[in-house]
Amino acid sequence: MSNVSTRFWNPLFARLWFVFNRNRISWIGVVLLLILVSLAVLAPVISPYNPVEQHVMDQFRGPSAKYWLGTDEYGRDLFTRIVWGARISLTVGTVSVILGMIIGSILGMYAGYKGGVRDEFIMRVMDVFMSIPTLLMGLFVVAVLGPSTMNLIIAIALTVVPRFARIARAPTVSIKERDYIEACRAMGFSDLRIMLVHVLPNILGDIMVMGSLWVATAVRIEASLSFIGLGVPPPTPTWGGMVREGFEKMLDSPGASIYPGIFILLTVFAFNLIGDGLRDVIDPRLRES
Amino acid sequence: MNQEHLLEVRNLTTAFRIQGNLFPAVRGIDLHLDRNETLALVGESGCGKSITALSIMRLIPQPPGEIVSGEVFMKGIDLLTLPEERMRKIRGNKMAMIFQEPMTSLNPVLTVGFQIMEALIYHQDVTNVKAKELAIEIMNQVKIPSASRRFKDYPHQFSGGQRQRVMIAMALACRPEIILADEPTTALDVTIQAQILYLLAELKREYSMAMIFITHNLGIVASIADRVAVMYGGEIVEVAPVGDLFEKPRHPYTEMLLRAVPRVDLNIEKLSYIPGQVPSIDRMPPGCHYAPRCDLRMELCDRQDADLVPLPGEPAHRVRCWIRGDSREIQDKP
């Protein structure tokens, strides 16, 4: 298996470099994401205050030298909270989608490639999962496992799995009938190898694009789950939670909602740009000569 | 078992299930292949050439296909009874296949070089570096210009003829003993066809491989084959050394087939053809499959199929016909 992965990924990274260099707009996404990630990583260093520290005298302040982005209703520094919130929001968003993406893609690819009863079984189970609303899924997971960041990730991953199973299955069904898959069988390759080396790169583009979009959605789901108390409990800052808290006092102090909202937007934007770049890397048919 | 032949197929019958009923697509195939030999499988579309090759490789999709009976011996080992695991080690390694469609038989998202070295890495315990070396060597042998530079190119950057060279390189990477070439030149221009045929013949000699060459082009047969098996309606109707077949075809179908080859050196007003078409596998006539289209057909032909038997005094030339290609002998046949 290690052979499979190194031989497959090496040329992929070479291409990633090559195409990202040609498609410069995806670099914007990469740079943006790097900035967001470094904000999150460097939170303890760059944040001027403690994220839960309240300044009772300084509620609803606008941006100033003291509070770079102003304060919220408890007088907590918004910049500090956004930077700390980035840690949780980005972690929950990416980890849950990556987890759901891996499990969902494997299930979908397996179902599509094998067909028959296994296909039916897997996809019907996926349909059942898909029919459960995200919030119910969150309630269920938290009721069983208790509220925590990890369980939030599990809940979001569970809602993401069936989407990726579908995304992975559909192209697999058509690709397995292609001549080059027949040629692979004639070369004596095992089903596992055919799936990983020959089917996967063909569907990876779809999966990656979908994944980048779902990271954005996952950040949003995290927000709504946090809000109803199923996610990370307050006062720990998360972007979604901040938007929700600020929303109640929107007219007095729009910044409390808008600034974290802008960061959600930037994250979504960054992942979409990267998703587009990735698609071009993985699918040479979309590249001109 | 008979160790003389490199590959020996006996009584192979492969059937397909259509609405619950099994219909044989090829029936009672007997053939053999010796080292360094090229056997051409000739016949119209749908006569079972490809099914025969796929059955030998055990690549018939199941369902709906099914190998009903028969044995395929490669150096004395029956491939049809091997466990799938061991069969996989033979495919692409000891026995490789070249497909008809070079445009679609390469994975569009993997580099050509990777696809050539993949079989080497998979079947033979070679390192990455060594596999790359070998792959470039093979690319040179199949005459892909500036091979080491094109190693990292993708299939869409290659022309049809070059892709077919890549397919050949893939098939030959592990130096198989048997090559099954399924109409490898059909999709190519005539000039490229000639180059590819010449290349195949050359490599075959160099690697001392045996080849089963599937085609419907008799011109190619004449230039490349040592022996020819003519198939019709899922059966072999005539097998002969290539010279014998062209000089004195005995089966009425072979005769008509040869007559239907257009000639540029003769001034012919009208091209000759065989009226009718190959019956589909669920409508095979009970007797001789060719009978409905045969000029020489007699009452017996409709009732019973003949066996594939050697001609008197010519053990290598076998014909499946009651009349055995000579209508004057009708009287003393059963």
Side-chain angles (χ1 to χ4, degrees):
Chain A
M1 282 307 299
S2 67
N3 276 350
V4 172
S5 55
T6 53
R7 290 199 178 91
F8 165 57
W9 287 105
N10 284 343
L12 195 70
F13 278 122
R15 289 259 305 288
L16 193 75
W17 191 249
F18 175 72
V19 175
F20 265 43
N21 268 325
R22 285 162 40 108
N23 181 4
R24 290 178 193 280
I25 255 184
S26 44
W27 276 119
I28 298 178
V30 174
V31 169
L32 209 53
L33 186 66
L34 279 179
I35 294 173
L36 291 166
V37 169
S38 37
L39 280 182
V41 171
L42 298 175
V45 185
I46 57 174
S47 60
Y49 302 98
N50 183 311
V52 294
E53 185 186 341
Q54 305 189 356
H55 309 269
V56 205
M57 304 310 291
D58 292 323
Q59 293 169 345
F60 297 131
R61 286 294 152 94
S64 65
K66 194 174 175 202
Y67 306 109
W68 296 343
L69 292 179
T71 58
D72 65 5
E73 59 176 317
Y74 302 106
R76 296 176 298 200
D77 182 46
L78 280 177
F79 178 75
T80 305
R81 285 179 67 73
I82 283 171
V83 165
W84 282 89
R87 296 190 143 192
I88 299 217
S89 292
L90 287 178
T91 311
V92 170
T94 47
V95 173
S96 61
V97 168
I98 288 171
L99 202 67
M101 187 163 85
I102 291 172
I103 298 171
S105 305
I106 289 172
L107 285 174
M109 195 161 67
Y110 181 82
Y113 187 82
K114 291 290 184 182
V117 184
R118 281 172 280 197
D119 182 20
E120 276 302 312
F121 178 75
I122 291 174
M123 293 321 288
R124 291 305 75 78
V125 171
M126 289 298 111
D127 286 348
V128 170
F129 270 77
M130 195 113 119
S131 69
I132 303 173
T134 310
L135 289 187
L136 266 185
M137 182 75 83
L139 263 177
F140 174 76
V141 171
V142 171
V144 173
L145 303 173
S148 77
T149 310
M150 192 58 219
N151 295 342
L152 187 63
I153 288 172
I154 291 173
I156 297 174
L158 280 178
T159 55
V160 167
V161 163
R163 329 261 161 177
F164 282 99
R166 282 192 172 181
I167 291 289
R169 180 185 172 275
T172 305
V173 169
S174 88
I175 284 163
K176 74 167 175 181
E177 303 295 338
R178 303 272 166 88
D179 287 345
Y180 56 83
I181 299 298
E182 172 78 1
C184 283
R185 291 200 192 101
M187 294 306 280
F189 299 153
S190 63
D191 284 350
L192 181 70
R193 184 182 185 90
I194 294 175
M195 275 190 259
L196 287 180
V197 179
H198 291 268
V199 178
L200 184 61
N202 277 291
I203 64 174
L204 207 53
D206 298 348
I207 293 175
M208 286 298 190
V209 172
M210 202 61 189
S212 66
L213 297 172
W214 270 95
V215 171
T217 311
V219 171
R220 242 183 46 226
I221 296 176
E222 179 269 329
S224 32
L225 286 176
S226 293
F227 174 69
I228 59 169
L230 295 176
V232 185
T236 311
T238 70
W239 291 344
M242 289 172 71
V243 171
R244 200 59 225 188
E245 283 164 27
F247 178 70
E248 291 162 23
K249 300 284 183 328
M250 190 76 183
L251 290 179
D252 303 324
S253 165
S257 251
I258 286 174
Y259 294 129
I262 287 173
F263 275 81
I264 295 176
L265 190 82
L266 289 177
T267 312
V268 173
F269 187 54
F271 275 106
N272 283 349
L273 288 181
I274 293 170
D276 274 359
L278 277 177
R279 192 189 50 208
D280 292 355
V281 173
I282 287 151
D283 193 346
R285 288 163 298 190
L286 288 180
R287 281 158 41 191
E288 77 276 44
S289 67
Chain B
M1 287 294 108
N2 196 336
Q3 293 277 356
E4 286 172 296
H5 302 304
L6 180 58
L7 183 80
E8 185 170 8
V9 178
R10 286 190 201 163
N11 193 30
L12 175 77
T13 299
T14 301
F16 282 84
R17 198 170 283 282
I18 300 170
Q19 290 168 348
N21 298 314
L22 269 182
F23 294 101
V26 296
R27 198 166 73 179
I29 299 289
D30 284 297
L31 49 83
H32 63 85
L33 185 68
D34 290 319
R35 262 168 229 286
N36 301 318
E37 188 184 38
T38 301
L39 171 71
L41 270 185
V42 202
E44 285 168 83
S45 306
C47 71
K49 297 165 294 184
S50 297
I51 298 295
T52 305
L54 290 174
S55 299
I56 293 172
M57 293 281 277
R58 267 176 58 185
L59 286 169
I60 297 290
Q62 291 174 317
E66 199 175 304
I67 296 175
V68 180
S69 69
E71 289 139 350
V72 176
F73 291 102
M74 185 183 175
K75 295 199 278 189
I77 300 164
D78 187 357
L79 300 182
L80 296 187
T81 57
L82 276 186
E84 179 61 26
E85 290 285 307
R86 282 189 58 200
M87 187 62 209
R88 239 192 270 136
K89 294 208 172 72
I90 289 175
R91 274 187 218 131
N93 193 20
K94 304 272 177 229
M95 195 195 288
M97 197 153 176
I98 301 170
F99 288 92
Q100 179 176 357
E101 270 302 331
M103 303 310 275
T104 55
S105 297
L106 290 168
N107 194 331
V109 299
L110 298 174
T111 62
V112 157
F114 175 81
Q115 293 188 62
I116 295 173
M117 59 185 231
E118 192 180 8
L120 282 165
I121 293 162
Y122 189 76
H123 286 298
Q124 305 188 346
D125 206 15
V126 293
T127 61
N128 238 347
V129 181
K130 182 77 184 154
K132 185 173 177 182
E133 244 168 61
L134 289 170
I136 289 174
E137 190 189 317
I138 296 161
M139 284 171 81
N140 279 322
Q141 270 172 328
V142 298
K143 304 200 173 63
I144 294 171
S146 45
S148 47
R149 193 167 53 77
R150 307 225 62 190
F151 187 82
K152 281 201 180 295
D153 282 351
Y154 287 85
H156 72 270
Q157 291 161 301
F158 285 74
S159 69
Q162 281 177 319
R163 286 194 214 186
Q164 194 54 282
R165 288 173 196 271
V166 172
M167 296 291 298
I168 292 171
M170 280 169 70
L172 300 194
C174 292
R175 311 232 163 184
E177 290 169 71
I178 301 172
I179 284 279
L180 300 172
D182 189 354
E183 308 207 25
T185 59
T186 308
L188 305 173
D189 289 350
V190 184
T191 47
I192 309 292
Q193 277 192 14
Q195 291 174 15
I196 296 286
L197 285 176
Y198 179 75
L199 175 71
L200 263 179
E202 187 186 294
L203 291 170
K204 203 202 107 202
R205 212 176 314 120
E206 201 171 311
Y207 288 12
S208 53
M209 295 177 302
M211 176 156 71
I212 295 182
F213 195 97
I214 297 175
T215 183
H216 52 243
N217 185 332
L218 289 166
I220 291 177
V221 171
S223 64
I224 200 169
D226 299 313
R227 284 189 306 125
V228 187
V230 180
M231 289 189 72
Y232 184 85
E235 291 180 328
I236 291 178
V237 293
E238 183 164 7
V239 187
V242 66
D244 289 358
L245 190 101
F246 279 89
E247 275 161 36
K248 34 178 187 172
R250 301 303 297 266
H251 196 281
Y253 176 64
T254 317
E255 228 175 283
M256 290 297 277
L257 210 56
L258 287 171
R259 211 179 292 163
V261 176
R263 301 270 302 262
V264 284
D265 54 337
L266 300 177
N267 193 4
I268 305 170
E269 287 279 305
K270 223 174 152 189
L271 295 173
S272 60
Y273 63 101
I274 309 176
Q277 49 185 300
V278 186
S280 67
I281 63 169
D282 53 342
R283 289 207 195 94
M284 274 303 163
C288 170
H289 292 177
Y290 183 60
R293 297 170 78 183
C294 185
D295 291 340
L296 310 175
R297 154 193 196 182
M298 36 181 213
E299 185 259 340
L300 174 63
C301 302
D302 284 330
R303 268 190 289 120
Q304 209 186 338
D305 203 2
D307 288 328
L308 187 64
V309 288
L311 292 175
E314 289 181 82
H317 194 160
R318 295 189 295 160
V319 179
R320 184 191 296 275
C321 180
W322 293 117
I323 305 160
R324 290 185 187 142
D326 192 343
S327 53
R328 282 162 300 181
E329 288 174 29
I330 296 175
Q331 282 75 16
D332 47 57
K333 292 298 149 224

PDB file of all heavy atoms in Angstrom, chain B residues 313-327:
ATOM      1  N   GLY B 313      -3.884 -36.245 -45.133  1.00  0.00           N
ATOM      2  CA  GLY B 313      -2.514 -35.945 -45.529  1.00  0.00           C
ATOM      3  C   GLY B 313      -2.040 -34.571 -45.107  1.00  0.00           C
ATOM      4  O   GLY B 313      -0.893 -34.204 -45.348  1.00  0.00           O
ATOM      5  N   GLU B 314      -2.908 -33.773 -44.472  1.00  0.00           N
ATOM      6  CA  GLU B 314      -2.488 -32.436 -44.033  1.00  0.00           C
ATOM      7  C   GLU B 314      -2.938 -32.206 -42.599  1.00  0.00           C
ATOM      8  O   GLU B 314      -3.944 -31.546 -42.366  1.00  0.00           O
ATOM      9  CB  GLU B 314      -3.119 -31.350 -44.923  1.00  0.00           C
ATOM     10  CG  GLU B 314      -2.558 -31.280 -46.313  1.00  0.00           C
ATOM     11  CD  GLU B 314      -3.235 -30.160 -47.091  1.00  0.00           C
ATOM     12  OE1 GLU B 314      -2.813 -29.009 -46.906  1.00  0.00           O
ATOM     13  OE2 GLU B 314      -4.190 -30.450 -47.831  1.00  0.00           O
ATOM     14  N   PRO B 315      -2.219 -32.757 -41.636  1.00  0.00           N
ATOM     15  CA  PRO B 315      -2.675 -32.672 -40.244  1.00  0.00           C
ATOM     16  C   PRO B 315      -2.803 -31.232 -39.728  1.00  0.00           C
ATOM     17  O   PRO B 315      -3.593 -30.979 -38.824  1.00  0.00           O
ATOM     18  CB  PRO B 315      -1.588 -33.427 -39.473  1.00  0.00           C
ATOM     19  CG  PRO B 315      -0.418 -33.501 -40.396  1.00  0.00           C
ATOM     20  CD  PRO B 315      -0.954 -33.477 -41.783  1.00  0.00           C
ATOM     21  N   ALA B 316      -2.037 -30.313 -40.315  1.00  0.00           N
ATOM     22  CA  ALA B 316      -2.077 -28.941 -39.806  1.00  0.00           C
ATOM     23  C   ALA B 316      -3.247 -28.154 -40.372  1.00  0.00           C
ATOM     24  O   ALA B 316      -3.555 -27.065 -39.909  1.00  0.00           O
ATOM     25  CB  ALA B 316      -0.767 -28.226 -40.130  1.00  0.00           C
ATOM     26  N   HIS B 317      -3.881 -28.657 -41.379  1.00  0.00           N
ATOM     27  CA  HIS B 317      -4.973 -27.950 -42.034  1.00  0.00           C
ATOM     28  C   HIS B 317      -6.293 -28.628 -41.651  1.00  0.00           C
ATOM     29  O   HIS B 317      -6.598 -29.718 -42.102  1.00  0.00           O
ATOM     30  CB  HIS B 317      -4.761 -27.986 -43.557  1.00  0.00           C
ATOM     31  CG  HIS B 317      -5.645 -27.018 -44.284  1.00  0.00           C
ATOM     32  ND1 HIS B 317      -5.359 -26.594 -45.540  1.00  0.00           N
ATOM     33  CD2 HIS B 317      -6.809 -26.427 -43.952  1.00  0.00           C
ATOM     34  CE1 HIS B 317      -6.314 -25.752 -45.952  1.00  0.00           C
ATOM     35  NE2 HIS B 317      -7.207 -25.654 -44.992  1.00  0.00           N
ATOM     36  N   ARG B 318      -7.051 -27.953 -40.803  1.00  0.00           N
ATOM     37  CA  ARG B 318      -8.286 -28.571 -40.328  1.00  0.00           C
ATOM     38  C   ARG B 318      -9.490 -27.732 -40.740  1.00  0.00           C
ATOM     39  O   ARG B 318      -9.425 -26.504 -40.746  1.00  0.00           O
ATOM     40  CB  ARG B 318      -8.245 -28.735 -38.812  1.00  0.00           C
ATOM     41  CG  ARG B 318      -7.163 -29.704 -38.399  1.00  0.00           C
ATOM     42  CD  ARG B 318      -7.252 -30.042 -36.947  1.00  0.00           C
ATOM     43  NE  ARG B 318      -7.005 -28.883 -36.112  1.00  0.00           N
ATOM     44  CZ  ARG B 318      -7.390 -28.805 -34.845  1.00  0.00           C
ATOM     45  NH1 ARG B 318      -8.071 -29.786 -34.295  1.00  0.00           N
ATOM     46  NH2 ARG B 318      -7.120 -27.740 -34.134  1.00  0.00           N
ATOM     47  N   VAL B 319     -10.575 -28.438 -41.076  1.00  0.00           N
ATOM     48  CA  VAL B 319     -11.751 -27.752 -41.610  1.00  0.00           C
ATOM     49  C   VAL B 319     -13.006 -28.291 -40.934  1.00  0.00           C
ATOM     50  O   VAL B 319     -13.106 -29.485 -40.648  1.00  0.00           O
ATOM     51  CB  VAL B 319     -11.860 -27.962 -43.143  1.00  0.00           C
ATOM     52  CG1 VAL B 319     -13.088 -27.261 -43.682  1.00  0.00           C
ATOM     53  CG2 VAL B 319     -10.624 -27.474 -43.848  1.00  0.00           C
ATOM     54  N   ARG B 320     -13.924 -27.385 -40.655  1.00  0.00           N
ATOM     55  CA  ARG B 320     -15.218 -27.804 -40.120  1.00  0.00           C
ATOM     56  C   ARG B 320     -16.255 -27.653 -41.230  1.00  0.00           C
ATOM     57  O   ARG B 320     -16.879 -26.607 -41.380  1.00  0.00           O
ATOM     58  CB  ARG B 320     -15.591 -26.909 -38.933  1.00  0.00           C
ATOM     59  CG  ARG B 320     -16.869 -27.305 -38.221  1.00  0.00           C
ATOM     60  CD  ARG B 320     -17.283 -26.211 -37.252  1.00  0.00           C
ATOM     61  NE  ARG B 320     -16.311 -26.024 -36.183  1.00  0.00           N
ATOM     62  CZ  ARG B 320     -16.306 -26.746 -35.058  1.00  0.00           C
ATOM     63  NH1 ARG B 320     -17.207 -27.672 -34.855  1.00  0.00           N
ATOM     64  NH2 ARG B 320     -15.401 -26.505 -34.129  1.00  0.00           N
ATOM     65  N   CYS B 321     -16.390 -28.718 -42.041  1.00  0.00           N
ATOM     66  CA  CYS B 321     -17.364 -28.649 -43.133  1.00  0.00           C
ATOM     67  C   CYS B 321     -17.640 -30.052 -43.635  1.00  0.00           C
ATOM     68  O   CYS B 321     -16.722 -30.862 -43.790  1.00  0.00           O
ATOM     69  CB  CYS B 321     -16.807 -27.797 -44.272  1.00  0.00           C
ATOM     70  SG  CYS B 321     -17.945 -27.666 -45.652  1.00  0.00           S
ATOM     71  N   TRP B 322     -18.904 -30.365 -43.872  1.00  0.00           N
ATOM     72  CA  TRP B 322     -19.253 -31.693 -44.377  1.00  0.00           C
ATOM     73  C   TRP B 322     -18.679 -31.887 -45.768  1.00  0.00           C
ATOM     74  O   TRP B 322     -18.332 -32.977 -46.171  1.00  0.00           O
ATOM     75  CB  TRP B 322     -20.768 -31.880 -44.413  1.00  0.00           C
ATOM     76  CG  TRP B 322     -21.400 -31.921 -43.067  1.00  0.00           C
ATOM     77  CD1 TRP B 322     -22.305 -31.050 -42.573  1.00  0.00           C
ATOM     78  CD2 TRP B 322     -21.167 -32.889 -42.043  1.00  0.00           C
ATOM     79  NE1 TRP B 322     -22.662 -31.397 -41.300  1.00  0.00           N
ATOM     80  CE2 TRP B 322     -21.971 -32.540 -40.939  1.00  0.00           C
ATOM     81  CE3 TRP B 322     -20.354 -34.027 -41.936  1.00  0.00           C
ATOM     82  CZ2 TRP B 322     -21.991 -33.266 -39.764  1.00  0.00           C
ATOM     83  CZ3 TRP B 322     -20.376 -34.748 -40.764  1.00  0.00           C
ATOM     84  CH2 TRP B 322     -21.190 -34.371 -39.692  1.00  0.00           C
ATOM     85  N   ILE B 323     -18.595 -30.819 -46.458  1.00  0.00           N
ATOM     86  CA  ILE B 323     -18.166 -30.941 -47.849  1.00  0.00           C
ATOM     87  C   ILE B 323     -16.651 -30.790 -47.951  1.00  0.00           C
ATOM     88  O   ILE B 323     -16.030 -31.158 -48.912  1.00  0.00           O
ATOM     89  CB  ILE B 323     -18.872 -29.840 -48.669  1.00  0.00           C
ATOM     90  CG1 ILE B 323     -20.376 -29.963 -48.457  1.00  0.00           C
ATOM     91  CG2 ILE B 323     -18.554 -29.945 -50.138  1.00  0.00           C
ATOM     92  CD1 ILE B 323     -21.137 -28.711 -48.789  1.00  0.00           C
ATOM     93  N   ARG B 324     -16.097 -30.256 -46.910  1.00  0.00           N
ATOM     94  CA  ARG B 324     -14.657 -30.034 -46.839  1.00  0.00           C
ATOM     95  C   ARG B 324     -14.134 -29.257 -48.038  1.00  0.00           C
ATOM     96  O   ARG B 324     -13.122 -29.570 -48.625  1.00  0.00           O
ATOM     97  CB  ARG B 324     -13.911 -31.352 -46.693  1.00  0.00           C
ATOM     98  CG  ARG B 324     -14.209 -31.891 -45.313  1.00  0.00           C
ATOM     99  CD  ARG B 324     -13.458 -33.114 -44.969  1.00  0.00           C
ATOM    100  NE  ARG B 324     -13.974 -33.591 -43.687  1.00  0.00           N
ATOM    101  CZ  ARG B 324     -14.128 -34.856 -43.395  1.00  0.00           C
ATOM    102  NH1 ARG B 324     -13.807 -35.795 -44.252  1.00  0.00           N
ATOM    103  NH2 ARG B 324     -14.593 -35.207 -42.232  1.00  0.00           N
ATOM    104  N   GLY B 325     -14.909 -28.292 -48.394  1.00  0.00           N
ATOM    105  CA  GLY B 325     -14.434 -27.370 -49.408  1.00  0.00           C
ATOM    106  C   GLY B 325     -14.443 -27.911 -50.813  1.00  0.00           C
ATOM    107  O   GLY B 325     -14.082 -27.233 -51.753  1.00  0.00           O
ATOM    108  N   ASP B 326     -14.852 -29.151 -50.997  1.00  0.00           N
ATOM    109  CA  ASP B 326     -14.820 -29.687 -52.351  1.00  0.00           C
ATOM    110  C   ASP B 326     -16.188 -30.293 -52.663  1.00  0.00           C
ATOM    111  O   ASP B 326     -16.527 -31.373 -52.214  1.00  0.00           O
ATOM    112  CB  ASP B 326     -13.734 -30.753 -52.473  1.00  0.00           C
ATOM    113  CG  ASP B 326     -13.492 -31.094 -53.921  1.00  0.00           C
ATOM    114  OD1 ASP B 326     -14.363 -30.756 -54.753  1.00  0.00           O
ATOM    115  OD2 ASP B 326     -12.457 -31.691 -54.210  1.00  0.00           O
ATOM    116  N   SER B 327     -16.942 -29.579 -53.489  1.00  0.00           N
ATOM    117  CA  SER B 327     -18.324 -30.004 -53.721  1.00  0.00           C
ATOM    118  C   SER B 327     -18.398 -31.330 -54.467  1.00  0.00           C
ATOM    119  O   SER B 327     -19.396 -32.024 -54.402  1.00  0.00           O
ATOM    120  CB  SER B 327     -19.067 -28.918 -54.499  1.00  0.00           C
ATOM    121  OG  SER B 327     -18.338 -28.597 -55.657  1.00  0.00           O
TER     122      SER B 327
END
